[in-house]
């Protein structure tokens, strides 16, 4: 066994790291509260696909879903929980570690 720390990729969270879910968390972080239709348009998803990803994030405790009305139209808003904010920050930190390794690492060997 080695005393070297594990590679940063080992710390990536499978729930957060998935492309669509990372996008949802990032938009929710930027906006503080994002409307379902806005997320669907920004991430180029079907309503059903977005709903499935939101369900995964809600089950993990990373987002809160609020249903209500804007005028007579039903609306759904998504916001980060404290756990979601922490998970996003940790994911970004791991990604920065990976980028640093690529940018400062030795050139690849030509076999």
């Amino acid at each position: 066994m080695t005393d070297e720390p594990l590679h940063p990729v080992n710390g990536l969270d499978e729930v957060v790291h998935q492309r669509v879910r990372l996008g949802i968390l990032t938009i929710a972080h930027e906006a503080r509260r994002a409307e379902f239709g806005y997320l669907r348009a920004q991430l180029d998803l079907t309503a059903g696909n977005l709903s499935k990803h939101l369900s995964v994030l809600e089950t993990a405790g990373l987002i809160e879903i609020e249903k209500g009305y804007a005028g007579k139209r039903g609306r759904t808003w998504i916001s980060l929980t404290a756990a979601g904010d922490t998970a996003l920050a940790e994911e970004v930190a791991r990604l920065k570690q990976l980028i640093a390794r690529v940018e400062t690492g030795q050139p690849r060997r030509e076999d």
Side-chain angles (χ1 to χ4, degrees), residues 45-62:
L45 300 170
T46 65
N49 194 317
L50 177 56
S51 291
K52 288 178 185 178
H53 287 290
L54 292 176
S55 178
V56 169
L57 292 169
E58 184 179 37
T59 299
L62 302 181

Side-chain angles (χ1 to χ4, degrees), residues 66-110:
E66 175 189 348
K67 296 192 181 272
Y69 290 90
K72 293 183 180 183
R73 298 189 68 184
R75 295 279 192 236
T76 301
W77 293 276
I78 292 84
S79 57
L80 284 182
T81 62
D85 197 48
T86 298
L88 179 60
E90 289 173 358
E91 191 74 9
V92 169
R94 290 286 183 182
L95 291 170
K96 285 179 180 178
Q97 290 174 350
L98 288 169
I99 291 166
R101 288 176 75 119
V102 170
E103 291 179 341
T104 62
Q106 297 294 321
R108 293 188 316 205
R109 288 187 331 181
E110 300 271 338

Side-chain angles (χ1 to χ4, degrees), residues 3-70:
D3 288 337
E4 286 185 41
L6 293 175
H7 194 278
V9 76
N10 291 316
L12 294 175
D13 182 328
E14 293 294 326
V15 171
V16 174
H17 190 71
Q18 195 281 340
R19 178 186 67 82
V20 170
R21 293 191 290 264
L22 184 58
I24 292 166
L25 294 174
T26 301
I27 291 170
H29 174 76
E30 294 168 344
R32 301 283 182 210
R33 185 172 175 229
E35 199 269 327
F36 184 92
Y38 179 79
L39 285 171
R40 190 178 55 71
Q42 288 296 303
L43 298 171
D44 193 27
L45 300 170
T46 65
N49 194 317
L50 177 56
S51 291
K52 288 178 185 178
H53 287 290
L54 292 176
S55 178
V56 169
L57 292 169
E58 184 179 37
T59 299
L62 302 181
I63 63 167
E64 290 180 343
I65 297 175
E66 175 189 348
K67 296 192 181 272
Y69 290 90

